[in-house]
């Protein structure tokens, strides 16, 4: 006697699961320019590596004899897979089944996926498409009562944020719990024109009254309410891409810099970029005119391993660039001022971005490189109303709390409290300064008329007197005067930046490996 009939039933149930929401719903999904959940899983992970867990879970219908008639699969798929040969937990919402609503599925399935990640110490990737939450008004009528909301397994989501890399890809309209699952990640992506994120969708918002009304066109209403133009500029989501394929590629790229879990170190890659490469273009990168800007991203390409810069959050907090990269193959986290936005002054959003990024680097044990050209925290009425100093101090605290090695390079300005936030002055300062360095408690140009008011009023030619004062102070503010007193450790030839940072990376990883 064999178990042939049971295996045949298993095959049938698996075949029913593979139909997802049925031909009509799948055609509608594809007609919107969206991949279905199974196609997404296949495209994200290494070929043939996905092993599904709980494939036949769902809501079955039986005839009067108790024999299976049909199965509505759970709208959530997950399993173990490989990305670049490394194990991960891969998950995908199935929008073809009740728009991915959790009340159409089995909550334990999603909870088990989250548990698997932190208990087995595996990165988790969430591909989110739909509400992923508690259903509809019709659900309440079916239950016969309402309830105080609770999210089954949210504690597992929180544990994952503390223990493993979490990546979230918003691949369609994501509301409620779907939006929350997107945000509860270390790196998140939206697809332009395809993804929207909101606490509640346009239909719910419109139901609140005329003052909440959105666009008449439903697709436009979703974009206006929660499109990538909004959420990749306000910091809710890190990045936007043009296609699902690009989202998968960026998710894989992000994970290439990460360890598989907290407590494991990230992997060094083979480096073909010479450690002692010296770029002559660095000599003229910083202009002599302090009001002129330059490309900090060009600097990154010249000093880091070529082709390895992976910028995160480019469209928000724009006064600072945050990126993962490599130095001599070692993964590092890079914070760099961007003088092309607000002159590099940190406003509230920039400080928020830096704080989050530094915490990410510290959690996953990535040495930090800080390229500095910061004239200070943003000033003015709008900056004060935005609570800039609160966010700035939070960023400063994150830098001081970080326990991974940090090296800073001061390219030009470092002023005020923001200047002191560039590194932890109470630890060993692995710091280099370019000859273009300009620092102090405040920019001298902004306070001359006040500081020398009496001298200027007494002068026969105030303008000439002001120029003479400026000339004297320019000599005082020379970076070499600071170096004489060992207030800065080393003034370097800008072309030596890459070799010196590669030296730092090697020493930093030597220390991390001994922890």
């Amino acid at each position: 006697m064999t178990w042939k009939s049971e295996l045949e039933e298993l095959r049938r149930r698996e075949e029913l699961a593979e139909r997802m929401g049925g031909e009509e719903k799948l055609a509608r999904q594809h007609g919107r320019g969206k991949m279905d959940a199974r196609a997404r899983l296949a495209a994200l992970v290494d070929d043939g590596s996905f092993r599904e867990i709980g494939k036949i879970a769902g809501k079955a219908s039986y005839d009067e004899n108790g024999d299976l008639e049909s199965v509505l699969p759970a709208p959530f798929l997950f399993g173990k897979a490989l990305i670049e040969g490394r194990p991960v937990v891969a998950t995908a919402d199935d929008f073809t089944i009740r728009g991915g609503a959790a009340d159409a599925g089995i909550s334990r399935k999603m909870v088990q996926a989250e548990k698997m990640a932190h208990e087995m110490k595996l990165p988790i990737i969430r591909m989110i498409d739909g509400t992923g939450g508690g259903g509809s008004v019709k659900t309440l009528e079916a239950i016969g009562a309402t309830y105080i909301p609770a999210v089954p397994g949210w504690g597992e989501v929180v544990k994952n944020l503390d223990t493993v890399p979490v990546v979230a890809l918003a691949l369609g309209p994501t509301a409620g719990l779907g939006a929350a699952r997107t945000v509860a990640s270390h790196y998140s992506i939206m697809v332009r024109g395809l993804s929207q994120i909101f606490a509640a969708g346009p239909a719910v918002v419109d139901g609140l009254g005329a003052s909440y009304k959105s666009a008449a066109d439903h697709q436009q209403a979703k974009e206006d309410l929660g499109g990538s133009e909004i959420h990749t500029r306000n910091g809710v989501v890190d990045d936007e891409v043009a296609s699902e394929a690009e989202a998968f590629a960026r998710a894989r790229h992000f994970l290439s810099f990460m360890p598989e879990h907290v407590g494991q170190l990230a992997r060094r890659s083979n480096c073909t970029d010479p450690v002692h490469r010296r770029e002559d273009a660095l000599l003229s990168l910083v202009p002599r005119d302090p009001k002129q800007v330059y490309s900090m991203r060009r600097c990154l390409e010249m000093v880091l391993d070529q082709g390895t810069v992976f910028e995160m959050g480019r469209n928000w907090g724009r006064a600072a660039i945050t990126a993962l990269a490599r130095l001599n193959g070692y993964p590092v986290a890079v914070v760099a001022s961007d003088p092309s936005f607000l002159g590099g002054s940190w406003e509230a959003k920039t400080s928020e971005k830096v704080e989050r990024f530094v915490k990410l680097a510290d959690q996953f044990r990535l040495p930090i490189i800080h390229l500095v050209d910061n004239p200070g925290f943003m000033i003015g009425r709008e900056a004060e109303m935005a609570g800039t100093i609160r966010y700035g101090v939070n960023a400063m605290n994150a830098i001081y709390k970080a326990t991974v090695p940090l090296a800073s390079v001061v390219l030009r300005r470092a002023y005020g409290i923001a200047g002191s936030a560039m590194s932890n002055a109470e630890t060993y300062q692995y710091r280099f300064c370019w000859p273009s360095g300009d620092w102090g408690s405040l920019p001298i140009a902004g306070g001359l008329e006040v500081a020398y008011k009496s001298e200027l009023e007494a002068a026969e030619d105030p303008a000439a007197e002001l120029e003479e004062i400026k000339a004297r102070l320019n000599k005082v503010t020379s970076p070499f005067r600071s170096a004489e007193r060992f207030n800065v450790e080393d003034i370097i030839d800008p072309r030596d930046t890459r070799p010196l940072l590669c030296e730092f990376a090697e020493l930093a990883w030597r220390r991390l490996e001994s922890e």
Side-chain angles (χ1 to χ4, degrees):
M1 184 177 179
T2 68
W3 297 93
K4 182 180 178 182
S5 61
E6 285 80 4
L7 290 175
E8 287 174 350
E9 181 174 354
L10 174 60
R11 297 287 93 81
R12 184 185 174 207
R13 287 176 178 269
E14 289 175 338
E15 190 273 330
L16 289 171
E18 290 170 2
R19 295 180 187 180
M20 295 178 276
E23 290 183 9
E24 184 180 337
K25 295 287 183 67
L26 283 169
R28 194 180 303 169
Q29 174 89 347
H30 298 156
R32 295 186 178 117
K34 297 164 64 176
M35 298 173 69
D36 61 72
R38 293 189 177 280
R40 284 168 172 166
L41 286 162
L44 172 71
V45 304
D46 295 354
D47 288 347
S49 71
F50 181 67
R51 181 182 66 78
E52 189 170 354
I53 298 171
K55 183 173 184 175
I56 65 173
K59 294 187 177 180
S61 298
Y62 297 90
D63 63 20
E64 58 186 14
N65 297 319
D67 295 323
L68 180 69
E69 287 186 326
S70 64
V71 175
L72 180 69
F76 176 80
L77 288 71
F78 86 101
K80 179 261 182 185
L82 300 176
I83 288 182
E84 302 298 334
R86 301 168 69 187
V88 300
V89 178
T91 80
D93 296 349
D94 186 353
F95 192 80
T96 69
I97 300 173
R98 288 280 309 280
D103 68 334
I106 299 169
S107 62
R108 183 173 180 271
K109 201 173 180 187
M110 190 177 292
V111 174
Q112 285 295 99
E114 298 289 336
K115 283 179 179 287
M116 182 181 181
H118 67 76
E119 292 188 12
M120 303 306 292
K121 296 188 175 180
L122 301 174
I124 184 169
I125 305 99
R126 306 187 192 112
M127 292 188 283
I128 302 167
D129 186 1
T131 65
S136 64
V137 175
K138 284 187 175 180
T139 306
L140 299 179
E141 186 176 17
I143 294 171
T146 189
Y147 51 86
I148 296 175
V151 179
W154 191 257
E156 313 304 330
V157 171
V158 175
K159 286 180 185 176
N160 281 333
L161 287 173
D162 290 338
T163 54
V164 297
V166 180
V167 180
L169 284 60
L171 302 177
T174 59
L177 180 57
R181 289 168 59 222
T182 304
V183 175
S185 62
H186 297 112
Y187 181 58
S188 55
I189 308 169
M190 295 179 74
V191 180
R192 194 178 305 115
L194 194 72
S195 311
Q196 301 87 32
I197 291 176
F198 16 66
V204 176
V205 172
D206 287 352
L208 295 178
S211 63
Y212 291 86
K213 288 284 183 183
S214 49
D217 176 76
H218 186 62
Q219 180 61 31
Q220 189 57 48
K222 290 190 291 184
E223 281 294 309
D224 291 347
L225 185 62
S228 63
E229 279 281 331
I230 296 171
H231 289 311
T232 59
R233 273 75 178 169
N234 63 15
V236 166
V237 170
D238 293 302
D239 288 316
E240 65 180 348
V241 294
S243 67
E244 292 191 57
E246 190 178 349
F248 304 149
R250 284 192 69 85
R252 292 169 67 96
H253 197 173
F254 171 80
L255 288 173
S256 72
F257 291 99
M258 293 286 112
E260 290 159 26
H261 56 85
V262 170
Q264 181 191 74
L265 292 179
R267 298 181 183 182
R268 183 185 183 188
S269 68
N270 182 47
C271 178
T272 58
D273 190 359
V275 168
H276 296 290
R277 175 167 56 84
R278 301 173 82 248
E279 296 281 357
D280 288 340
L282 291 171
L283 290 172
S284 57
L285 180 72
V286 178
R288 284 195 172 272
D289 183 345
K291 295 180 181 179
Q292 286 187 355
V293 301
Y294 58 93
S295 174
M296 182 62 81
R297 289 182 177 85
R298 187 168 166 238
C299 179
L300 296 185
E301 292 295 340
M302 286 191 280
V303 303
L304 299 163
D305 290 359
Q306 290 182 334
T308 68
V309 177
F310 180 84
E311 187 172 350
M312 297 169 57
R314 181 167 184 153
N315 292 324
W316 75 287
R318 290 167 50 201
I321 298 164
T322 51
L324 301 173
R326 294 184 183 273
L327 281 166
N328 194 18
Y330 293 106
V332 294
V334 181
V335 178
S337 306
D338 188 353
S340 69
F341 185 79
L342 301 178
S345 297
W346 287 12
E347 32 52 279
K349 280 296 180 185
T350 293
S351 296
E352 181 185 350
K353 182 168 85 169
V354 170
E355 177 193 9
R356 182 168 181 255
F357 187 73
V358 168
K359 287 180 176 178
L360 175 78
D362 198 43
Q363 179 179 6
F364 292 107
R365 312 311 287 159
L366 299 177
I368 299 169
I369 306 295
H370 199 165
L371 304 181
V372 180
D373 184 355
N374 190 333
F377 293 133
M378 195 65 187
I379 60 174
R381 177 174 169 78
E382 287 188 11
E384 299 301 342
M385 291 183 69
T388 297
I389 190 63
R390 163 77 65 185
Y391 291 98
V393 168
N394 287 345
M396 182 177 182
N397 291 348
I399 289 171
Y400 267 68
K401 286 181 178 180
T403 58
V404 292
L406 183 151
S408 60
V409 182
V410 182
L411 279 65
R412 186 160 63 177
R413 296 161 300 183
Y415 280 110
I417 297 298
S420 68
M422 300 301 101
S423 59
N424 183 347
E426 297 180 5
T427 62
Y428 174 72
Q429 290 275 60
Y430 211 109
R431 179 169 58 187
F432 307 103
C433 303
W434 286 12
S436 46
D438 179 20
W439 41 70
S441 57
L442 77 167
I444 287 177
L448 282 180
E449 284 82 353
V450 175
Y452 292 88
K453 182 179 179 180
S454 59
E455 289 91 331
L456 292 171
E457 288 176 346
E460 292 184 8
D461 186 346
E465 179 70 13
L466 181 61
E467 289 305 311
E468 184 180 334
I469 292 169
K470 285 181 179 179
R472 293 200 315 264
L473 289 174
N474 281 339
K475 293 181 179 179
V476 173
T477 59
S478 164
F480 298 109
R481 295 284 187 99
S482 298
E484 284 175 9
R485 298 174 178 236
F486 200 56
N487 288 331
V488 297
E489 292 72 30
D490 287 297
I491 309 293
I492 65 168
D493 183 326
R495 293 171 296 185
D496 291 331
T497 304
R498 172 172 170 76
L500 289 168
L501 287 180
C502 285
E503 173 191 279
F504 163 77
E506 185 169 351
L507 292 177
W509 275 95
R510 177 177 176 273
R511 199 203 89 181
L512 291 173
E513 288 167 353
S514 69
E515 290 181 346

